[in-house]
Amino acid sequence: MAASDYEVLDERFARLPCMTANVHKLFDRCHWAEGPAYFPAGRYLVWSDAPNNRMLRFDEAGETVSVFRQPANNSNGNTVDRQGRLVTCEHGTRRVTRTEHDGAITVLADSFNGKRLNSPNDVVVKSDGSIWFTDPTYGIDSDYEGNKAQSEIGASNVYRIDAQSGEIRVVCDDFVKPNGLAFSPDESLLYVVDTGRTHGAQNPAHMRVFEVGENGTLSGGRVFADCTAGLFDGFRLDVDGRIWTSAADGVHVYDPDGTLIGKVRIPEVVANLCFGGPKRDRLFICATTGLYSVRLFVNGAKTF
Ligand code: MG
């Protein structure tokens, strides 16, 4: 990594980047790149370009980009579940779906208490198979990345889908606009971003942390970090529990103690990222028009 590509704010960050590996831009024709998810079996990355209503695919072996799905129901956040299946948040259809191994689409959630969801934004799957997602209004606020509509639920909640029963319940209802979310490596903690600042200068631009109970309940919820450049959006954790998060000027890296220890500088606003490569030591970064990557001396937390 070239010196200009990163910023060491704390010595704990100094050995995380590979000093000879630059940030590479892999693709540059998105309107709003989001939702990266890496599939190790095929060595490819899928991500969303919501305003263009398409999902793209980067093949690591040949370093090529192709269209994965179009139209894509204005997809946003993606993840890979414990069986290696793609799980997708769709703004246009206001639902969370799973793409089965045979390509069939299963709807996991599209309503709560008989009311349509707003526009699921980001999603994570826990080791017990439960699926946790956020439901702010960005996909119904305008036609830009979905279809303009009134919220039926009238709130932006965090939800959990039970793995066995498929029951959907609210796990947290005090967010303005919940957004990215991820578990700590041991799944004892759940971090959730609030991007409420987009809907008022007095609203939060921060990340909160919850303790996860045995029965899938949350407690705590203190502010873990306030974003120092724009907004946090999507993020992932590494094997040691550090948080690698999107921000306006690049990727911000937090120690689990809450210290901002360094940045990977990216010349566009970053929306989301994930670890990939066979060893989960290549960081893929979705930033406005582009997909970027950088090799690291640290590995992403194993999530399936
Ligand atoms: Mg998001």
Side-chain angles (χ1 to χ4, degrees):
M1 179 182 274
S4 60
D5 286 346
Y6 70 98
E7 191 174 332
V8 178
L9 301 171
D10 182 296
E11 63 178 20
R12 288 173 286 181
F13 183 72
R15 285 185 298 278
L16 302 182
C18 172
M19 300 304 286
T20 56
N22 294 309
V23 172
H24 293 285
K25 190 168 190 179
L26 306 172
F27 188 77
D28 65 0
R29 296 194 300 280
C30 290
H31 278 189
W32 183 248
E34 247 285 6
Y38 183 83
F39 293 79
R43 290 192 61 196
Y44 63 88
L45 179 94
V46 167
W47 83 96
S48 300
D49 183 7
N52 278 324
N53 198 15
R54 63 180 178 173
M55 297 171 78
L56 296 165
R57 167 178 171 147
F58 171 77
D59 278 278
E60 204 175 13
E63 298 267 320
T64 56
V65 172
S66 56
V67 174
F68 175 80
R69 179 179 294 166
Q70 189 173 30
N73 300 324
N74 301 105
S75 65
N76 190 339
N78 294 290
T79 195
V80 183
D81 78 2
R82 303 285 163 158
Q83 285 74 47
R85 298 170 295 189
L86 172 66
V87 177
T88 299
C89 295
E90 299 178 357
H91 282 182
T93 40
R94 301 167 66 171
R95 64 187 191 178
V96 181
T97 63
R98 181 173 62 220
T99 303
E100 307 294 347
H101 291 302
D102 66 0
I105 305 285
T106 300
V107 178
L108 301 173
D110 60 4
S111 63
F112 180 71
N113 281 348
K115 296 176 179 175
R116 293 186 76 186
L117 298 173
N118 298 321
S119 53
N121 188 289
D122 217 339
V123 60
V124 64
V125 180
K126 197 166 175 282
S127 61
D128 64 3
S130 59
I131 298 159
W132 303 57
F133 68 95
T134 56
D135 186 43
T137 57
Y138 297 110
I140 57 172
D141 286 340
S142 74
D143 286 325
Y144 179 65
E145 52 180 307
N147 302 302
K148 187 173 169 58
Q150 286 292 318
S151 171
E152 295 185 14
I153 292 173
S156 293
N157 298 321
V158 184
Y159 296 91
R160 175 187 182 274
I161 307 171
D162 189 81
Q164 276 72 45
S165 67
E167 177 208 10
I168 303 168
R169 61 179 168 82
V170 176
V171 289
C172 198
D173 64 359
D174 67 348
F175 279 78
V176 181
K177 301 293 172 192
N179 206 314
L181 75 174
F183 290 100
S184 59
D186 66 2
E187 299 184 327
S188 65
L189 302 173
L190 178 71
Y191 296 87
V192 188
V193 162
D194 196 332
T195 46
R197 185 70 53 83
T198 56
H199 286 63
Q202 77 286 357
N203 288 336
H206 62 209
M207 183 182 295
R208 295 167 63 186
V209 59
F210 296 85
E211 285 83 45
V212 182
E214 284 291 320
N215 52 359
T217 55
L218 298 179
S219 58
R222 68 180 170 82
V223 174
F224 173 76
D226 282 299
C227 192
T228 58
L231 302 169
F232 298 134
D233 194 334
F235 64 98
R236 296 287 198 279
L237 276 72
D238 68 27
V239 285
D240 300 316
R242 297 179 201 90
I243 293 96
W244 297 69
T245 177
S246 53
D249 58 350
V251 176
H252 290 193
V253 184
Y254 284 86
D255 187 85
D257 74 4
T259 308
L260 176 61
I261 58 174
K263 299 180 181 183
V264 181
R265 290 197 188 105
I266 302 292
E268 299 184 83
V269 173
V270 177
N272 213 332
L273 52 86
C274 76
F275 292 91
K279 298 177 180 175
R280 304 186 309 282
D281 60 353
R282 184 177 186 181
L283 192 66
F284 288 98
I285 301 155
C286 287
T288 314
T289 69
L291 175 70
Y292 298 78
S293 82
V294 64
R295 296 297 294 268
L296 301 171
F297 281 163
V298 66
N299 309 79
K302 196 164 175 56
T303 52
F304 70 93

